[in-house]
């Protein structure tokens, strides 16, 4: 038991060690206790030697953060794990909220990671070379009306759009509506990249277009990247020009 | 000289080794030649041992990519360096465009990195826990009217907004106009985080609000993160709730 306790909120990136940051690997090494959603803990199990590991199910985010704080208050260094970037729909916010709710002054370090849109873009080529919007289609915590408004605004502004949590077993119509909203402003021929398990085991990628995107497999491990008006496909790569004269 | 030549487009993240990915470090180690903008090369010079290094000035992006391809065609492994994520306003797109323009079949691996918005968010707390838009205020390659439209759409959709390239020596009015557009939709009390050199030497961060943001130093090494309607500041941290019941 160390005298100085600390919480690391660690973004592990896509999941493979090779796309983790040096700091994320260090934070896991420095922790006495590792807490996270089971799927993410499994991704990094090679890095976890001689530590207490608490893996929990989905949708236990607040419980996980409370447990993290409990351990830190007992004098342990704790790493709480997020996939991608801990600061993008990740555990960083909830952990800080739990800390303040419980009036704790424990030290929290947010360790940033490579977010799924960046990992997916690297697989697809270079679709995010210009202004982009990241939108989660999960309406568990957000009103669907607000998500639709954001889809509308992002399409209207000709942003490249990265969709997180596009679809799950029980949530299938959102991606259809999202596509319809995109079609109000973007051509049916606009390139769309669909990447499952970007930059980790089981990676699958397909490049299609807005017209045909729903013909492809999309699930909760998938990121969908929709181009802007200048995005094109060449030799199986999706490219949004930055505007340089080549 | 190796028989199999390859180009790595490497996103080095904020600049410090600790926030580079394992793959980025490997790619630099595997390269015979390192090419990049001098400022970025300087950030990683500890990693460069026994290699040919070509550093060039700003705004030589196309030249740099042509040189990278020249070396690759000579049978060298070449790493071309981007700060942040190579796929976000980085070198990935230009490198692919130059490859196709010259009808080359050289292998290109895009190595993703932690983009500046993620690094800045980790410094500020957790401002990007919800849907966000990333917009560059540089109008060198993009019409200012389009940038303004995107600012308008992002603010209208109550996105968290991360502004890249907010200001430079010769470009000062854009951040003022951007703020005015934000104020059409967002309250003056909306939290704003201003981070210079996020997660690298010389880091400086301030949390202010839309009303007062222009009173603080902003330059081309700065990222500005503007909250959504629910973003708040607590104990010096900027937090956007994801919506969990704490």
């Amino acid at each position: 038991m160390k005298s100085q306790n600390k919480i690391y909120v660690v973004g592990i990136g896509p999941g493979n060690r090779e796309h983790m940051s040096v700091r994320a690997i260090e934070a896991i090494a420095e922790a006495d206790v590792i807490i996270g959603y089971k799927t993410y803990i499994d991704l990094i199990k090679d890095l976890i030697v001689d530590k207490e590991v608490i893996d929990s199910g989905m949708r236990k985010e607040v419980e996980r953060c409370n447990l993290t704080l409990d351990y830190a208050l007992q004098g342990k260094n704790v790493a709480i794990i997020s996939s991608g970037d801990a600061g993008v729909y990740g555990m960083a916010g909830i952990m800080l909220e739990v800390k303040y709710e419980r009036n704790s002054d424990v030290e929290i370090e947010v360790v940033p990671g490579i977010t799924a849109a960046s990992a997916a873009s690297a697989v697809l080529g270079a679709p995010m070379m210009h202004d982009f919007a990241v939108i989660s289609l999960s309406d568990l915590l957000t009103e669907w009306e607000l998500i639709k408004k954001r889809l509308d605004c992002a399409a209207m502004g000709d942003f490249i759009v990265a969709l997180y949590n596009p679809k799950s077993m029980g949530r299938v119509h959102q991606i259809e509506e999202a596509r319809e909203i995109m079609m109000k402003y973007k051509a049916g021929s606009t390139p769309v990249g669909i990447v499952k398990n970007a930059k980790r085991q089981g990676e699958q990628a397909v490049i299609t277009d807005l017209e045909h995107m729903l013909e492809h497999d999309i699930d909760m491990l998938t990121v969908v990247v929709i181009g802007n008006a200048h995005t094109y496909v060449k030799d199986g790569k999706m490219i949004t020009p930055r505007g340089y004269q080549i």
Side-chain angles (χ1 to χ4, degrees), chain A:
Chain A
M1 194 177 290
K2 301 189 183 95
S3 60
Q4 196 179 1
N5 55 327
K6 182 170 174 179
I7 292 172
Y8 301 94
V9 191
V10 181
I12 60 168
N16 281 10
R17 184 179 178 280
E18 66 177 348
H19 293 292
M20 286 179 71
S21 72
V22 172
R23 186 68 190 139
I25 294 170
E26 274 175 10
I28 289 166
E30 284 167 20
D32 306 300
V33 183
I34 311 284
I35 296 183
Y37 172 40
K38 195 174 179 321
T39 309
Y40 305 150
I41 295 283
D42 286 347
L43 289 169
I44 57 163
K45 57 174 182 275
D46 294 352
L47 297 173
I48 304 176
V49 183
D50 231 12
K51 292 175 193 302
E52 191 166 348
V53 175
I54 294 150
D55 48 17
S56 69
M58 277 178 74
R59 301 191 193 173
K60 300 271 185 188
E61 289 83 359
V62 177
E63 189 181 304
R64 235 178 277 149
C65 290
N66 273 306
L67 204 58
T68 299
L69 184 52
D70 292 340
Y71 275 101
L73 294 176
Q74 289 166 32
K76 309 256 190 183
N77 289 323
V78 193
I80 178 165
I81 305 299
S82 268
S83 71
D85 180 8
V88 173
Y89 309 112
M91 301 301 293
I94 319 165
M95 192 63 242
L96 286 168
E97 289 185 272
V98 164
K99 168 185 160 164
Y100 295 130
E101 177 65 24
R102 289 173 58 181
N103 291 309
S104 165
D105 62 355
V106 65
E107 186 186 352
I108 295 181
E109 177 180 336
V110 178
V111 180
I114 292 171
T115 190
S118 288
S121 289
V123 173
L124 294 168
M128 297 212 315
M129 294 300 299
H130 219 291
D131 306 326
F132 63 95
V134 173
I135 302 174
S136 168
L137 295 191
S138 170
D139 56 359
L140 278 176
L141 299 168
T142 308
E143 294 278 331
W144 180 236
E145 287 307 313
L146 176 59
I147 299 172
K148 282 204 295 187
K149 183 179 179 192
R150 286 183 179 153
L151 289 163
D152 200 276
C153 290
M156 192 193 307
D158 194 30
F159 283 92
I160 303 147
V161 178
L163 300 177
Y164 283 38
N165 308 309
K167 197 176 177 181
S168 71
M169 299 284 269
R171 197 165 47 70
V172 297
H173 74 91
Q174 284 85 347
I175 187 70
E176 296 166 15
E177 279 192 66
R179 175 183 162 278
E180 270 169 44
I181 294 167
M182 293 291 126
M183 292 281 278
K184 284 171 60 183
Y185 305 95
K186 291 175 185 275
S189 60
T190 303
V192 174
I194 299 173
V195 190
K196 181 171 178 173
N197 291 317
K199 290 286 176 189
R200 66 178 170 237
Q201 278 77 26
E203 178 181 291
Q204 290 174 23
V206 64
I207 295 177
T208 173
D209 60 25
L210 261 183
E211 185 72 39
H212 301 93
M213 61 176 272
L214 295 179
E215 297 166 15
H216 300 273
D217 257 6
I218 296 176
D219 67 14
M220 61 184 291
L221 299 173
T222 304
V223 171
V224 177
V225 181
I226 300 159
N228 72 15
H230 300 286
T231 305
Y232 63 91
V233 179
K234 173 104 185 174
D235 277 2
K237 295 290 175 190
M238 184 172 165
I239 301 171
T240 303
R242 181 83 180 93
Y244 293 98
Q245 202 69 43
I246 305 298

